[in-house]
Amino acid sequence: MPLSIIIDLDPNIFRLGPFLITWHGVFSVLGIVAAARIGFWLLKKDIPDLQGTGDGLAWMVALGLIGARLLYVWENWRIFASTSWLRVFALTEGGISQWGGLFGAMLGVYVWSRRAHYSFWKILDAGGPAAMLGLTIGRIGDVINGEHHGSPTNLPWGVEYVNQFTLGQPGRVVHPEVAYEMVLCLLILGAILPFQQRLKKRLPDGVLGLVYFAVYAAGRFFLSYYRLDTEIFLGLRQAQIASLLMVLVAVIAIPILLRRASATSAPAQATASRA
């Protein structure tokens, strides 16, 4: 028997009427709260007269939850097709996609930016570190319930779920892949956040936020090989396809933002030189 970390925790905390309170749900809420706090704090440095943050949070959370559910349903459509499509609305049964939540939240940012007349790119810059912190905290619930199944390992930090109610893989020692994702998010935060304001002064709006998400996406692509998710296309999992899409968006958008900023600053510099 290899060395392992034993996790003997009930993923459910208690039932309140028809609602089942789980560790996954609790840490998801805590992750959203923490992300909102740091995100709006950073955004206020960029937009001092920031208002309507409650409206913005509502759009991001609502569309984030919808996106998270829809992408999960798309990935697991066979389950719903074989039973009843009404189960799409059975949110108490669980089943959300982290990338779907991120893409949905980005759509929420766009809607709010248009309604409140704020720069989408400025919000995205603040959203990068906010997402990394929120994901780190939210993944604690995933570590407890074990629903994201990892591949077998004999490494000493492999985890074994033994609780009778676990969603994990009883009797198997597996990679704690979601814990790897937590470490990835913390490394990205530690590497970029201390220099956030200095980088903001040097880079066009939006570039820094795209860097956060692209670096995370690149790391998530490779970490997904430690999970037993269903292969969707060309041997790739849903999370890997979404990660590639995020990297592609960043690779295309960052040069455009840099060129646009350069083209805007050139006439201003010429005017200042003549003056």
Side-chain angles (χ1 to χ4, degrees):
M1 175 68 68
L3 294 174
S4 63
I5 299 171
I6 303 297
I7 297 182
D8 186 9
L9 293 171
D10 189 333
N12 305 317
I13 304 177
F14 60 88
R15 184 174 289 278
L16 186 62
F19 301 103
L20 180 62
I21 309 303
T22 66
W23 289 111
H24 180 274
V26 168
F27 281 104
S28 293
V29 171
L30 291 176
I32 291 172
V33 171
R37 293 284 292 180
I38 189 174
F40 289 134
W41 176 70
L42 289 171
L43 186 57
K44 200 161 186 176
K45 293 178 180 292
D46 222 11
I47 308 176
D49 59 343
L50 182 67
Q51 296 178 352
T53 54
D55 185 43
L57 182 61
W59 278 106
M60 284 181 268
V61 171
L63 293 184
L65 290 175
I66 293 172
R69 183 61 172 176
L70 288 179
L71 193 56
Y72 173 83
V73 171
W74 172 78
E75 180 185 7
N76 300 276
W77 65 270
R78 291 182 181 85
I79 297 175
F80 298 93
S82 63
T83 55
S84 170
W85 284 104
L86 291 177
R87 288 185 61 193
V88 169
F89 304 100
L91 300 180
T92 56
E93 295 181 4
I96 58 174
S97 163
Q98 172 249 311
W99 267 121
L102 286 176
F103 289 143
M106 289 180 191
L107 179 59
V109 166
Y110 179 76
V111 173
W112 180 47
S113 69
R114 298 286 291 181
R115 287 169 55 89
H117 305 290
Y118 292 137
S119 167
F120 169 81
W121 299 113
K122 287 182 184 292
I123 303 174
L124 190 67
D125 282 339
M132 296 305 104
L133 180 61
L135 288 172
T136 300
I137 296 174
R139 285 304 193 193
I140 297 174
D142 291 328
V143 171
I144 292 175
N145 66 20
E147 66 177 307
H148 299 295
H149 293 178
S151 56
T153 181
N154 56 7
L155 293 171
W157 56 80
V159 295
E160 182 179 0
Y161 290 90
V162 299
N163 189 274
Q164 61 176 324
F165 300 110
T166 185
L167 302 177
Q169 303 149 270
R172 303 184 70 182
V173 179
V174 299
H175 280 285
E177 192 275 339
V178 288
Y180 298 163
E181 290 182 35
M182 293 170 63
V183 173
L184 171 64
C185 291
L186 289 174
L187 288 175
I188 295 171
L189 271 178
I192 304 178
L193 186 58
F195 311 102
Q196 178 91 4
Q197 296 310 118
R198 265 184 280 180
L199 291 170
K200 279 287 296 173
K201 294 177 181 178
R202 295 171 177 264
L203 297 172
D205 291 336
V207 170
L208 192 56
L210 288 170
V211 168
Y212 272 104
F213 287 111
V215 173
Y216 170 75
R220 178 68 196 280
F221 178 88
F222 292 105
L223 288 179
S224 292
Y225 284 113
Y226 293 104
R227 292 222 331 219
L228 300 181
D229 295 337
T230 304
E231 295 179 355
I232 301 295
F233 180 69
L234 296 178
L236 298 176
R237 286 87 164 164
Q238 172 257 102
Q240 291 177 309
I241 296 172
S243 296
L244 289 176
L245 177 61
M246 185 68 249
V247 171
L248 180 63
V249 169
V251 167
I252 294 173
I254 288 176
I256 293 175
L257 293 172
L258 291 172
R259 283 198 299 270
R260 182 186 300 173
S262 178
T264 302
S265 63
Q269 291 175 354
T271 301
S273 177
R274 286 195 298 268

